[in-house]
Amino acid sequence: MPAKHLGAEGWRKPWSGPNGGACVEVLKLSDGRVALRQSTDPDGPALIYTPLEIEKFIQGAKAGAADFLLTTRTEPNLTAPAATAADWRAA
């Protein structure tokens, strides 16, 4: 869906960092779904996720399922339960 169809108000940047302003913005929709867009392209596409999809994504990220994406981390996450990443992918 084009993000411009969702309006300009209410978008947040929860993951903003020292990247020159290019980040992911999120908008919680009235039906509980969550829209994500690229901050540098506010009229571009928005990905829409259900509350369960967002919940599983956040749980997986907190459990270390995406740690392999970090440039400063080379070893696997040995503290997360083995089923966490598989559960997150299956959801």
Side-chain angles (χ1 to χ4, degrees):
M1 156 179 284
K4 63 183 174 185
H5 292 172
L6 299 171
E9 299 298 318
W11 290 93
R12 301 170 103 185
K13 297 178 182 180
W15 302 287
S16 187
N19 55 2
C23 57
V24 174
E25 293 180 315
V26 298
L27 175 67
K28 189 164 185 179
L29 304 176
S30 60
D31 63 1
R33 295 179 302 157
V34 175
L36 286 97
R37 72 178 181 185
Q38 176 60 37
S39 66
T40 58
D41 189 12
D43 292 333
L47 302 173
I48 310 294
Y49 294 95
T50 67
L52 182 60
E53 289 170 326
I54 289 297
E55 180 182 342
K56 292 297 183 181
F57 171 78
I58 292 171
Q59 287 173 348
K62 286 181 175 181
D67 285 357
F68 68 94
L69 296 170
L70 301 174
T71 57
T72 59
R73 187 177 176 102
T74 56
E75 74 279 359
N77 180 3
L78 301 176
T79 61
T84 302
D87 291 345
W88 178 74
R89 286 189 295 272

